[in-house]
Amino acid sequence: MLSIKNLHVSVGDKPILKGINLEIKPGEIHAIMGPNGSGKSTLSHILSGKSGYTVTEGSATYQGKDLLEMPPEIRAREGVFLAFQYPVEIPGVSNVYLLKAALNSIRKHHGQSEVDAMDFLTLVKGKVRLLEMDEKFLYRAVNEGFSGGEKKRNEILQMAILEPKLCILDETDSGLDIDALKIVSEGVNSLRSSGRSFVMVTHYQRLLDYIKPDFVHVLAHGQIVKSGGAELALELEEKGYSWLEDAEASA
Amino acid sequence: MATANTSAYVDGYPEVVSLLCGQSLPWLQQQRADALLQLTTHGFPSLRDEDWRYTNVSAIDKKHYGVALKSASVAIDSDWLKTYQLADAWSLVLIDGYFSAELSNLNGLPEGVTVVSLAQAMQDTHYSALIEGRLNSAVESTENGFVALNGAYFVDGALIYISSKQVLAKPIQVLHIATQELAAINTRTLIVADELSEAQLIETFAGLDCAYLSVAVAEVFVGQNAAVTLHKVQVESDKALHFGGTYVKQARDARFRHDNFALGGLLARSDVHTDLEQASECELNGLYLGVKRQQIDNHTRINHLKPHGISRQLYKGVLDDKARGVFQGRVVVAEDAQKTDSQMNNRNLLLSNDAEADTKPQLEIYADDVKCAHGVTVGQLDEKSIFYLQSRCVDEETARNMLTFAFANEMVDKVKIKSLHDLILGQVLTRFPQEGINKEWL
Ligand SMILES: Nc1ncnc2c1ncn2[C@@H]1O[C@H](COP(=O)(O)OP(=O)(O)OP(=O)(O)O)[C@@H](O)[C@H]1O
Ligand SMILES: [Mg+2]
């Protein structure tokens, strides 16, 4: 699904990612953990096509195509979805309109006709119920005036409707209380399938109690310094990151 | 910087006097003479005038605009007219400044409500008490050269009177249509809303595809505890020059709202002034869109004269190509106007490197216990928002259009009269800098 090889990324003169290697196969769940400022969001952004970064070395191949060459909207239509760490408020553009526009552009991209208005509403309302949201959110401007938790749920709502193939969740669990976390996790779990992969950036192993990862990676100073199974997250929770960073420094 | 020349308007005056209304009213003759004298001695405003420092009016020197003759008006296509005339409103239509009874729709006005041509009203002693003493009292010809020109030259206009406690069931529209190349069109509107009345009013300015000079002055008297909303929809031809002023006097507890859509004209300036008595409230909203070489200026002045007044202002501008937009807003809080609560905001979106926005909020506060705030922004679209939309499958150009449109639509959305809302939305969509704007985005 996604193959990242020796990826180096800078902002201006400042190197941020310094040789990332990551292989993600269909159906896999990868958790990425690591200290603040280590480059987790940068990785999420570079995969979804945000401008302002320079790739100085390496590659990212998605479904056999050069991901880094594609404009962000093409990546999205090809099935890459980023749930933002900080979802953006878009005053004046309604949530339901954006959902419809997004869904239709995906369908168009795949040579399908526009979604029927009734089918669309049925689909959307079903997902709204799944995430235990109020239908009123659909008719409000995208994220405008939403609480932190509501914004995160809204990201997952979009994901549930657009059914992407590669879901990148950047700290979707941060700022969620336990009830909301359960709901969001159920939403994510309902999307799990053999053809869909997840990259979950998180600081908290608590999320991984609800969504069990196949792999856990530790990103520090722009590199993956350790990879392991789900048990690595427990170890990290216990010991923090410093033992890894120390090991890296002495290596 | 040379000042625009008024000599053609001064020298030519004797020839056109016979076209002007209110010949039988000596007090009006005096006011007209005073206005002409004002124009003669002070001329048109120049960049040296503080209130006109961003408005270069020298464009009026480039052509000779002559007073429009009624007989020279071009016939109007009725479908074209329908795009501007609201079917569900009472409407008074002025063609090149002159009242057209055939095109107006004034049937079924309730008792106690008057909507009549100002020229006709001046011939009828029945209306004398309404007009005399009010005309030229909310604004004086010393205000600026265009008000003086208008005071000397107006040929007709509208008189709207809403008697006390009347709550209008339908809006009233004054529709100004220009049809003649090089016409100078001067109109005057007088609006009187008595105590406890409520009314929705609309002034629309449109024209055929020709170059003309439109100078329109409206005076509005909002009575005690009355509520008036006045919408100005300026969609003049893109070769036209428009100078429009709205001068308001609000009695105690009166509420006045002005929604100002400045979309047309090559050079278009709008002044909105209001005086607030005790506990009266005003809300001034504006949207200006400029493309190509348009210059669209908006000037507001709010005088808080007495305590407990509330004023709210939000003007938004979208400027593309080489267009220029100006917002000058002045709020004056008199010594006596304690507990004034005033907010002024101006937001500008620049879509091209050659577009320009000049914004100058001014607060003059002479009272010590007041709450006054103002804020201005001039900026481009937010890159984070564009990326967010792109990450949701929207291509970049569409994302830019959506955000621009959403920015402007906030003002359109404030209009609650459905037919008017649709008219304005339609105008915004057709004049909008970008193509591919989609109504569904709402
Ligand atoms: N546009 C930018 N300009 C300058 N530095 C940047 C920019 N974007 C990111 N950085 C820097 O790159 C580093 C990595 O940032 P990033 O947001 O990817 O970290 P993160 O791992 O997601 O952190 P957190 O856990 O706090 O979300 C930080 O030092 C950050 O300051
Ligand atoms: Mg981050």
Side-chain angles (χ1 to χ4, degrees):
Chain A
M1 164 107 20
L2 178 69
S3 168
I4 303 175
K5 292 209 163 74
N6 191 30
L7 187 64
H8 290 251
V9 173
S10 306
V11 173
D13 295 339
K14 187 181 167 194
I16 294 175
L17 299 183
K18 302 164 191 166
I20 302 278
N21 291 291
L22 194 61
E23 288 292 330
I24 297 175
K25 298 205 170 59
E28 289 178 354
I29 298 196
H30 291 244
I32 297 185
M33 305 183 80
N36 290 119
S38 56
K40 303 181 299 295
S41 290
T42 304
L43 180 62
S44 312
H45 288 152
I46 202 84
L47 293 177
S48 47
K50 190 174 178 187
S51 61
Y53 302 95
T54 319
V55 175
T56 52
E57 236 187 294
S59 65
T61 312
Y62 169 72
Q63 295 189 319
K65 294 179 195 153
D66 181 354
L67 184 66
L68 304 176
E69 279 295 301
M70 294 183 214
E73 65 272 20
I74 302 299
R75 300 182 197 197
R77 293 172 197 168
E78 291 266 331
V80 178
F81 183 94
L82 169 64
F84 283 61
Q85 182 175 1
Y86 304 110
V88 181
E89 299 194 5
I90 315 277
V93 175
S94 82
N95 228 358
V96 71
Y97 174 72
L98 181 59
L99 285 168
K100 196 169 170 192
L103 188 62
N104 277 332
S105 54
I106 292 172
R107 294 175 65 98
K108 197 170 161 203
H109 187 74
H110 293 111
Q112 293 165 318
S113 61
E114 292 208 338
V115 62
D116 171 79
M118 289 310 290
D119 294 348
F120 174 72
L121 271 186
T122 311
L123 167 73
V124 169
K125 289 188 173 168
K127 300 296 184 187
V128 163
R129 268 194 303 278
L130 174 73
L131 289 159
E132 300 186 21
M133 290 170 76
D134 191 327
E135 271 184 26
K136 286 192 191 109
F137 279 98
L138 288 173
Y139 303 99
R140 283 173 56 181
V142 178
N143 293 325
E144 194 185 31
F146 289 22
S147 72
E150 288 164 352
K151 284 180 184 169
K152 297 292 179 74
R153 268 196 227 195
N154 199 37
E155 296 287 286
I156 303 304
L157 173 73
Q158 294 172 348
M159 193 172 92
I161 289 162
L162 302 181
E163 303 192 317
K165 297 195 185 74
L166 176 62
C167 308
I168 306 165
L169 280 64
D170 191 358
E171 295 201 24
T172 299
D173 56 327
S174 297
L176 290 186
D177 57 32
I178 189 73
D179 292 336
L181 180 71
K182 280 185 196 159
I183 292 163
V184 163
S185 303
E186 276 164 30
V188 171
N189 283 328
S190 74
L191 285 171
R192 290 182 70 163
S193 79
S194 58
R196 182 171 293 131
S197 311
F198 292 83
V199 176
M200 298 193 305
V201 173
T202 182
H203 285 291
Y204 309 104
Q205 110 79 30
R206 187 182 68 164
L207 172 72
L208 310 181
D209 289 340
Y210 295 97
I211 309 170
K212 190 167 179 291
D214 300 302
F215 301 94
V216 175
H217 310 278
V218 180
L219 186 59
H221 309 301
Q223 288 182 314
I224 292 180
V225 295
K226 190 161 181 70
S227 297
E231 71 290 345
L232 177 57
L234 291 164
E235 199 176 349
L236 289 168
E237 179 161 63
E238 202 176 306
K239 299 204 247 172
Y241 297 112
S242 55
W243 61 284
L244 286 168
E245 294 179 84
D246 294 347
E248 184 200 16
S250 64
Chain B
M1 175 126 276
T3 311
N5 202 333
T6 53
S7 59
Y9 301 97
V10 173
D11 300 343
Y13 195 68
E15 289 167 37
V16 299
V17 162
S18 63
L19 298 170
L20 309 179
C21 60
Q23 307 269 345
S24 60
L25 306 173
W27 61 266
L28 183 62
Q29 295 315 309
Q30 186 58 49
Q31 286 184 351
R32 288 193 187 274
D34 292 346
L36 190 68
L37 184 62
Q38 179 69 26
L39 184 66
T40 312
T41 44
H42 295 280
F44 289 123
S46 81
L47 298 176
R48 285 188 300 274
D49 297 312
E50 182 55 30
D51 285 346
W52 291 75
R53 57 185 288 193
Y54 301 113
T55 315
N56 185 345
V57 304
S58 64
I60 61 170
D61 271 352
K62 300 210 176 97
K63 295 196 162 82
H64 179 71
Y65 299 96
V67 173
L69 299 177
K70 196 172 186 174
S71 56
S73 290
V74 175
I76 297 168
D77 178 73
S78 64
D79 283 340
W80 183 85
L81 190 68
K82 266 186 216 148
T83 56
Y84 301 104
Q85 189 168 21
L86 299 179
D88 55 358
W90 288 293
S91 56
L92 184 147
V93 180
L94 299 165
I95 303 294
D96 298 319
Y98 300 94
F99 173 62
S100 164
E102 309 83 80
L103 297 176
S104 299
N105 171 16
L106 297 169
N107 298 328
L109 279 166
E111 186 96 15
V113 177
T114 301
V115 181
V116 62
S117 135
L118 186 63
Q120 285 181 5
M122 282 175 166
Q123 289 170 345
D124 186 339
T125 52
H126 180 68
Y127 299 111
S128 311
L130 263 180
I131 302 171
E132 191 178 349
R134 282 207 182 83
L135 200 75
N136 286 313
S137 74
V139 65
E140 290 175 35
S141 58
T142 50
E143 178 63 34
N144 66 54
F146 292 100
V147 174
L149 178 78
N150 182 280
Y153 271 93
F154 72 89
V155 293
D156 199 347
L159 170 67
I160 297 174
Y161 172 67
I162 300 132
S163 62
S164 73
K165 295 186 188 161
Q166 277 285 343
V167 177
L168 283 189
K170 290 200 289 187
I172 298 170
Q173 181 184 29
V174 179
L175 177 53
H176 300 252
I177 302 287
T179 75
Q180 298 180 43
E181 181 75 17
L182 295 181
I185 302 166
N186 283 280
T187 56
R188 188 59 81 108
T189 297
L190 184 60
I191 297 165
V192 181
D194 269 352
E195 201 175 81
L196 293 163
S197 63
E198 290 177 28
Q200 299 262 7
L201 309 170
I202 300 144
E203 284 189 290
T204 309
F205 294 88
L208 300 182
D209 180 27
C210 50
Y212 54 88
L213 169 65
S214 163
V215 185
V217 172
E219 292 179 278
V220 185
F221 297 85
V222 189
Q224 211 171 310
N225 211 13
V228 169
T229 299
L230 177 59
H231 307 81
K232 175 172 175 178
V233 185
Q234 186 277 96
V235 287
E236 303 273 26
S237 116
D238 58 11
K239 298 178 194 136
L241 310 182
H242 175 97
F243 296 92
T246 305
Y247 301 88
V248 187
K249 294 246 182 241
Q250 295 183 237
R252 199 187 157 115
D253 301 318
R255 295 174 303 286
F256 175 71
R257 176 172 140 185
H258 194 253
D259 282 9
N260 192 357
F261 294 89
L263 312 179
L266 182 62
L267 168 61
R269 170 162 168 141
S270 181
D271 285 77
V272 183
H273 292 201
T274 182
D275 287 351
L276 278 77
E277 290 292 326
Q278 183 153 338
S280 50
E281 297 179 20
C282 75
E283 180 183 334
L284 308 184
N285 299 312
L287 173 67
Y288 44 102
L289 299 185
V291 295
K292 297 179 190 154
R293 291 182 167 276
Q294 274 185 296
Q295 172 160 356
I296 307 210
D297 293 7
N298 285 287
H299 297 251
T300 63
R301 167 138 183 191
I302 296 174
N303 292 317
H304 283 276
L305 302 173
K306 290 280 173 348
H308 296 289
I310 299 175
S311 61
R312 294 285 178 269
Q313 293 188 71
L314 176 60
Y315 267 76
K316 282 184 143 188
V318 181
L319 302 157
D320 200 2
D321 307 325
K322 291 180 189 295
R324 186 166 176 213
V326 176
F327 175 79
Q328 255 186 304
R330 201 158 143 213
V331 175
V332 183
V333 181
E335 204 179 334
D336 203 16
Q338 300 293 3
K339 305 283 180 192
T340 289
D341 174 358
S342 170
Q343 284 175 18
M344 165 164 46
N345 275 295
N346 174 228
R347 312 238 169 269
N348 294 282
L349 190 54
L350 299 182
L351 300 179
S352 104
N353 288 332
D354 296 323
E356 181 180 329
D358 298 290
T359 170
K360 190 168 179 238
Q362 292 167 274
L363 290 177
E364 278 173 49
I365 302 175
Y366 301 101
D368 51 23
D369 182 14
V370 301
K371 209 164 70 185
C372 294
H374 69 276
V376 302
T377 55
V378 178
Q380 275 122 27
L381 291 171
D382 175 33
E383 293 298 325
K384 280 201 190 89
S385 305
I386 295 168
F387 175 62
Y388 187 81
L389 292 173
Q390 282 183 286
S391 77
R392 300 300 178 254
C393 311
V394 179
D395 66 86
E396 183 179 343
E397 197 191 332
T398 307
R400 288 182 180 278
N401 291 344
M402 274 168 104
L403 293 169
T404 308
F405 183 64
F407 178 86
N409 192 49
E410 181 188 356
M411 306 316 290
V412 181
D413 244 8
K414 289 180 187 284
V415 177
K416 296 302 173 209
I417 302 167
K418 174 87 172 55
S419 57
L420 180 63
H421 173 273
D422 293 352
L423 187 164
I424 295 166
L425 183 62
Q427 290 294 323
V428 168
L429 290 173
T430 51
R431 283 160 192 268
F432 216 78
Q434 271 71 31
E435 305 216 332
I437 298 291
N438 188 333
K439 275 195 197 188
E440 266 193 60
W441 291 347
L442 307 179

